[in-house]
Amino acid sequence: MSGSPVRFRDPRCREYDFLDSLLVHCPRCDRIARVQRQPDPGERPLFAPRRLICRSCGLSRTWTGRGVGLRAGSGGPAVDPYFGVRLWLQRETRHGRLWAYDLRHLDLIRRYAAAGLRERAPWYDTGQKTILVARLPVWIKSAKNRDEVLRTVDRLRKSVLTQG
């Protein structure tokens, strides 16, 4: 008798929900760095100032611009929308590039891929097609690629833990 399937319930989060803290390659030393949102009560969270900080080499940069370049395709490496530096959590697979902004984002992808039962409200219940799970590439959603996706997610997680 088999146990109940692993269940995933869509938290209905968007890509914007993971932009408070991003893991990136430091442009100076190529080690892990963080892009962190700075508190600014007068600014919307998406456009709040950001700071890139590398603990390895001490690099610190501030972003106070207005343009945010969210990823719109699968060509080339994934970059952060503020400074344009490569994301730390990305790896090429034979199906495509798997990337995440931070460990929370990576955990969401892992929980989704590992689940045998995936529940979510239909996108038309609110009229929005911007829910992150709905926008995942088809190859990540496919059950036949589950092992490869989970293996890649685990490698990405390990790369953060060994660098930290």
Side-chain angles (χ1 to χ4, degrees):
M1 184 170 176
S2 66
S4 62
V6 177
R7 180 180 299 232
F8 175 84
R9 289 206 172 124
D10 188 0
R12 302 193 57 80
C13 53
R14 296 181 180 86
E15 186 175 354
Y16 308 112
D17 297 334
F18 297 100
L19 294 178
D20 287 344
S21 178
L22 311 168
L23 299 176
V24 297
H25 283 267
C26 175
R28 184 186 292 165
C29 68
D30 204 38
R31 297 195 51 143
I32 193 168
R34 183 175 297 275
V35 174
Q36 191 77 34
R37 180 169 68 100
Q38 302 300 300
D40 188 355
E43 194 66 68
R44 292 182 297 171
L46 181 63
F47 299 105
R50 301 290 199 268
R51 176 162 285 165
L52 186 145
I53 301 167
C54 177
R55 290 187 177 191
S56 297
C57 69
L59 176 70
S60 177
R61 292 184 182 166
T62 303
W63 178 89
T64 56
R66 290 283 163 227
V68 178
L70 292 174
R71 188 168 167 78
S74 60
V79 296
D80 91 280
Y82 298 99
F83 294 95
V85 295
R86 287 181 304 132
L87 292 177
W88 185 266
L89 297 172
Q90 64 179 307
R91 186 169 290 227
E92 194 68 38
T93 69
R94 61 189 168 122
H95 303 289
R97 184 180 309 270
L98 184 113
W99 61 272
Y101 286 129
D102 65 356
L103 291 175
R104 290 181 315 122
H105 188 189
L106 193 65
D107 181 58
L108 178 78
I109 294 170
R110 185 181 207 307
R111 287 185 296 120
Y112 182 83
L117 179 61
R118 300 169 180 165
E119 297 178 355
R120 67 182 176 101
W123 61 266
Y124 53 80
D125 69 342
T126 60
Q128 297 176 352
K129 298 181 188 178
T130 59
I131 304 301
L132 184 69
V133 169
R135 298 176 61 96
L136 285 174
V138 175
W139 63 270
I140 291 177
K141 295 178 182 182
S142 176
K144 70 180 180 181
N145 298 328
R146 179 174 291 143
D147 291 338
E148 184 174 1
V149 170
L150 294 176
R151 210 172 25 253
T152 303
V153 166
D154 291 342
R155 287 179 184 151
L156 288 171
R157 177 178 298 286
K158 187 176 178 182
S159 76
V160 172
L161 299 176
T162 58
Q163 270 294 311

